[in-house]
């Protein structure tokens, strides 16, 4: 192993969170992976407070979360600067998805949204997609067409695949289309599930 990358993927995109990313990027090589659907809402705020309107997505039923607010121009510029420095990366799909449950048309639309954000923020394409379960092999040509070469599978199912049957790092090849992706398989997902003893 020549290099290890540590990614933090729980960014809520509030003022405090941007400060944390900014400080961390100045003292280490850590980077954050942002969910593009949240970032798109943040950067393209549909209902600024000064307009007096109320966006349906401005709050949730979760009382522990701050209500959503539109960023200032300075905050938008900070996000863009962090992205341009490579300290904030995007998942290649707008959210962590179970890809086998959506149509190819919707899948392509999600990939296109991220492509637009890539151009808006830093100019280079996102190359890796986080998913909650293995997609069908039909997704591989769609990923290849957008230049996505990596797939991180964080299995969140209640009964994950027998970990002895799935290599943690492997090349997944669709022989019919010739498309492939490097897969990192996390059998216990990101749910905090207890990992069994060896």
């Amino acid at each position: 192993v020549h290099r290890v990358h540590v990614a933090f993927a729980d960014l809520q995109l509030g003022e405090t969170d941007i400060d944390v990313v900014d400080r961390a990027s100045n003292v280490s090589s850590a980077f954050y992976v942002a969910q593009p659907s949240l970032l798109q809402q943040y950067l393209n705020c549909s209902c600024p407070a000064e307009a007096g309107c109320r966006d349906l997505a401005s709050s949730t039923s979760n009382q522990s979360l701050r209500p959503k607010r539109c960023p200032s121009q300075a905050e938008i510029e900070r996000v863009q600067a962090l992205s341009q420095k490579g300290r904030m990366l995007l998942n290649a799909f707008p959210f962590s998805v179970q890809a086998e449950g959506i149509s190819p048309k919707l899948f392509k639309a999600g990939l296109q949204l991220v492509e637009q954000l890539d151009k808006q923020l830093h100019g280079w394409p996102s190359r890796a997609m986080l998913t909650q379960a293995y997609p069908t092999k039909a997704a591989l040509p769609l990923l290849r067409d957008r230049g996505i070469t990596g797939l991180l599978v964080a299995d969140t199912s209640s009964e994950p695949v027998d970990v002895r049957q799935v290599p943690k790092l492997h090349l997944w090849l669709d022989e019919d289309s010739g498309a492939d992706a490097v897969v990192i398989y996390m059998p216990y997902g990101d749910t905090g599930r207890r990992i069994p003893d060896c």
Side-chain angles (χ1 to χ4, degrees):
V1 175
H2 298 285
R3 180 180 291 179
V4 175
H5 294 282
V6 177
F8 301 94
D10 189 23
L11 185 62
Q12 300 299 319
L13 290 173
E15 185 175 351
T16 305
D17 302 302
I18 297 302
D19 289 338
V20 169
V21 175
D22 208 2
R23 279 195 308 271
S25 70
N26 290 323
V27 297
S28 74
S29 59
F31 59 90
Y32 286 75
V33 177
Q35 294 290 19
S37 59
L38 296 176
L39 195 56
Q40 195 273 343
Q41 285 181 11
Y42 182 76
L43 295 174
N44 304 299
C45 191
S46 61
C47 189
E50 59 272 10
C53 57
R54 185 156 170 84
D55 187 334
L56 288 175
S58 65
S59 65
T60 68
S61 59
N62 186 342
Q63 298 300 317
S64 66
L65 295 177
R66 299 182 302 266
K68 185 182 96 174
R69 65 171 181 77
C70 294
S72 66
Q73 185 59 38
E75 289 169 325
I76 290 172
E77 289 170 5
R78 285 177 73 193
V79 169
Q80 290 170 329
L82 287 167
S83 181
Q84 289 167 358
K85 289 194 301 187
R87 298 302 189 195
M88 182 183 299
L89 306 176
L90 301 180
N91 180 7
F93 201 78
F95 45 85
S96 182
V97 65
Q98 291 185 328
E100 70 279 1
I102 61 176
S103 71
K105 186 174 183 178
L106 183 58
F107 193 81
K108 288 177 186 177
L111 296 173
Q112 186 174 9
L113 180 135
V114 177
E115 191 175 82
Q116 291 167 352
L117 267 177
D118 283 335
K119 289 176 184 172
Q120 179 181 351
L121 288 172
H122 47 247
W124 64 79
S126 295
R127 297 275 188 218
M129 180 181 138
L130 171 67
T131 180
Q132 294 177 345
Y134 264 98
T136 62
K137 70 176 187 172
L140 287 176
L142 302 176
L143 295 174
R144 176 199 55 205
D145 292 348
R146 293 286 183 184
I148 298 166
T149 57
L151 193 58
L152 175 63
V153 180
D155 193 339
T156 58
S157 62
S158 59
E159 295 185 25
V161 174
D162 184 344
V163 296
R164 294 167 296 189
Q165 295 178 359
V166 180
K168 305 300 180 289
L169 179 65
H170 61 276
L171 182 68
W172 186 19
L173 173 64
D174 172 23
E175 293 181 0
D176 295 336
S177 68
D180 62 28
V182 174
V183 176
I184 298 173
Y185 178 65
M186 298 169 46
Y188 300 100
D190 54 5
T191 62
R193 213 174 331 167
R194 187 173 187 278
I195 298 174
D197 295 335
C198 292

